[in-house]
Amino acid sequence: MSSPDERESYKLEQEHLTNGHRDHGCCPDAISSDTSGSSTESDNPKKELHQREVWSRKIDFLLACVGFSVGLGNVWRFPFLCYKNGGGAFLIPYFIAVLLGGIPTFFLEVSLGQFMSEGGVGCWRIAPLFQGIGYACAIIVFLLNCEYNIILTWSLYYLFSSFTAVLPWSHGNNEWNSPECRKLYAEKPVNSTTLNLTSVGTTVSTFVTSVVNNASFLIDNITEGTAKPQACDPVTEFWERKVLQLSDGVDHPGNIKWDLALCLLLAWIIIYFCIWKGIKSSGKVMYFTATSPYVLMFVLLIRGVTLDGAIDGIRYYLIPDWQRLQDPQVWVDAGTQIFFSYSISLGTLTALGSYNRFNHKSFRDSMGFAAVNSFTSVLAGLVIFSVLGFMAKQQGTTVDKVAESGPGLAFIAYPEAVRQMPVAPLWAVLFFAMVLLLGLDSQFVGVEGFVTAVVDGYPQHLRVGRRREIFIAIVCVICFLIGLSMVTEGGMYVFQLFDYYSASRIVLVVAFFECIVVAYIYGIDRFYDNLEMMFGFKFPNWTKVVWMFITPTFTMSIFIMGAISYSELDYKRKLVTYNYPSWAIGVGWTLAMISVIWIPIIMIKRLYDAEGTLQERFIACTTPQLKENQIRKGEDLSKIKIISNHYIKENASQQDNLLPTYASCSGSVNFDKSPTKL
């Protein structure tokens, strides 16, 4: 229990830091930096905690959300799902998923972080029994950080390889090419900067004829796990034989590819220096990384729509196939794409929201973000499918035969198209620069989200001196070491395991629990009062129905349908499909469960540490733990636990023991004497 002197001292500190401002006549306004950093520990005056940062400008938050969530998934995953599920017809379930799942959950996470001024773990003090949600999110985003930087590694490799007069994947006269490929594609001047369209067309015609003549021979020699001989295509061979040096399977890891390892190291060095000074440095970087990809996308779109056959790709992309709407898998793909694209249930949105000022109008940012995200997906689809239409025209086939999913769309299909264009190196540099910039801000905001969750949990250790910078360096080194397993000769198989299992449908379960906890445990009415405290007006009652019923029902329905249609992971290469062994599937499920398992673990531990009957323990563990500036007007103090910033600072490392010791009292709070009202 806090003594009266402690409570009075805390009130005086709050009034000093907020300059006497009160919000909505019921509580102090949020301050520009966390009060835990405004004082020193009495027993060690030299150990001063740094203040918790806030965004320098209002637009920084929106740019951070756009930079993190708008990324490579918009470039390859959305276009692939669109043509896979009926072209334009896919847009119908997609936008329904935006309204029912994307925007409500996005705003829930952002506003919760803004209200609590805590990262992905600390914000769940609104119901400590379910704080495992925060731990699950932190682990998911950590695993994604390890995986995502591999894509940046490949992008850097291709970018460096593009600074040449002749693209290395444009011909078969390289040391890594197979004898068959050397024989068929020995000539180099396919993408010479001096070529005109006529010469390109002639070369492409020769290329297509060669592929057609050898197709039956290749297919006849495909066995269950291998192809004899390897696919005779210089683009594929550059990807598999040069970049990846792909082994026979996940059980053949082979050696580390040191050229990729150096690119991975460079990627992590870039990430570190983007975020090592916190959001003040990363916010400035995002002015460039979040906006410049759109310039490059428009340049590529203008080039794409002028290519012969581009209209065929765009028509395939946009014309709907209405019968596909009857397939449940279309709705599953739409729902999972929204959660994937909006970066929901990763804890990072909560961390980004926690750096907002208390009265920041984040609801407007949520709507703006949804518009930008969906616009980017549609724009990226136009860029990709205009190029795929060109490829289909040149090869005399249909669009669905040339498009590939996943990394293959960025590192096989597009390089294939680029090599057939005049001045090919220029377009290759522009494309991979765009991919790199799209990935960079997603990656460093993801790392920032994980770091925020840990630093908020242990501020007395990590907000002192340069310890935060050192901790970020340690995180980057650990992720780099884990990433080394994905730059071996069998690294692509490991990457696919991380990509398929570490997040995927698990985020739907986490989002379901988030809605349930806020709506039914913390209380939807209390949460609505908190929103009114921040924004100064009441939200319409119909939005309660969304968080209480529609969004949780939608997320769980999508998860159940996805579980029913679940198929084990395989790796679809250009001509063969690799089926993972049982033990690798087990590793994948371990990656999936290592995050969500913390939800029941924390619940059991909280209940075990509490005292009393099971009902009393449940009530104690679900009682919100709030600071005085977070208490709504008329709140029954017997139903909350009041904590001070001093107590959080001194005891953050002992969070599991907080429940019995917070100050609480009966009655209701009333701040009618506040000096300033909105």
Side-chain angles (χ1 to χ4, degrees), residues 66-82 90 94 147-148 151-152 297 317 333 336-343 373-374 376-381 384-385 404-407 409-411 434-435 437-443 495 499:
V66 170
F68 177 62
S69 301
V70 176
L72 302 178
N74 301 79
V75 173
W76 69 53
R77 197 170 189 267
F78 175 83
F80 165 70
L81 291 177
C82 205
F90 178 75
Y94 172 82
E147 164 207 335
Y148 203 84
I151 302 175
L152 300 187
M297 257 192 278
Y317 172 51
D333 287 342
T336 53
Q337 169 61 16
I338 288 301
F339 280 78
F340 180 87
S341 179
Y342 279 47
S343 303
N373 192 299
S374 298
T376 306
S377 296
V378 175
L379 176 63
I384 293 297
F385 274 89
E404 300 202 18
S405 63
L409 190 57
F411 298 104
M434 180 193 73
V435 172
L437 291 172
L438 280 171
L440 270 178
D441 45 11
S442 297
Q443 179 68 1
F495 172 85
D499 184 58

Side-chain angles (χ1 to χ4, degrees), residues 168 172-173 177 269 314 423 443 606 648:
N173 194 21
N177 289 122
I269 291 174
I314 295 175
V423 200
Q443 179 68 1
R606 297 291 195 215
I648 297 174

Side-chain angles (χ1 to χ4, degrees), residues 154 158 169 176 233-246 407-408 411-412 492 571:
W154 297 332
Y158 270 84
W169 60 82
W176 60 81
D233 173 359
V235 177
T236 302
E237 289 199 352
F238 179 78
W239 170 242
E240 295 187 352
R241 298 170 69 97
K242 173 60 176 174
V243 179
L244 301 179
Q245 291 186 9
L246 200 60
F411 298 104
I412 294 180
M492 185 60 174
Y571 176 29

Side-chain angles (χ1 to χ4, degrees), residues 291-455:
T291 57
S292 55
Y294 290 95
V295 177
L296 297 178
M297 257 192 278
F298 276 110
V299 171
L300 292 170
L301 177 62
I302 293 171
R303 182 67 186 101
V305 296
T306 59
L307 294 171
D308 184 28
I311 189 62
D312 297 328
I314 295 175
R315 186 183 295 114
Y316 188 90
Y317 172 51
L318 295 179
I319 294 179
D321 179 6
W322 300 108
Q323 293 183 348
R324 293 288 294 156
L325 292 178
Q326 301 175 10
D327 186 356
Q329 186 61 40
V330 176
W331 296 85
V332 172
D333 287 342
T336 53
Q337 169 61 16
I338 288 301
F339 280 78
F340 180 87
S341 179
Y342 279 47
S343 303
I344 291 171
S345 301
L346 302 181
T348 305
L349 296 177
T350 309
L352 295 178
S354 71
Y355 293 120
N356 282 334
R357 299 180 188 275
F358 191 77
N359 298 108
H360 180 75
K361 308 300 183 184
S362 54
F363 62 90
R364 294 185 306 193
D365 291 335
S366 299
M367 301 300 295
F369 166 82
V372 171
N373 192 299
S374 298
F375 167 77
T376 306
S377 296
V378 175
L379 176 63
L382 292 173
V383 173
I384 293 297
F385 274 89
S386 63
V387 172
L388 294 178
F390 164 73
M391 290 177 59
K393 181 78 170 181
Q394 294 296 319
Q395 298 181 18
T397 184
T398 57
V399 175
D400 59 321
K401 296 297 192 299
V402 295
E404 300 202 18
S405 63
L409 190 57
F411 298 104
I412 294 180
Y414 207 93
E416 170 72 37
V418 165
R419 81 183 186 94
Q420 300 173 18
M421 296 180 185
V423 200
L426 171 63
W427 300 110
V429 169
L430 288 177
F431 176 75
F432 290 110
M434 180 193 73
V435 172
L436 182 64
L437 291 172
L438 280 171
L440 270 178
D441 45 11
S442 297
Q443 179 68 1
F444 67 66
V445 176
V447 176
E448 180 68 49
F450 175 78
V451 169
T452 298
V454 179
V455 171

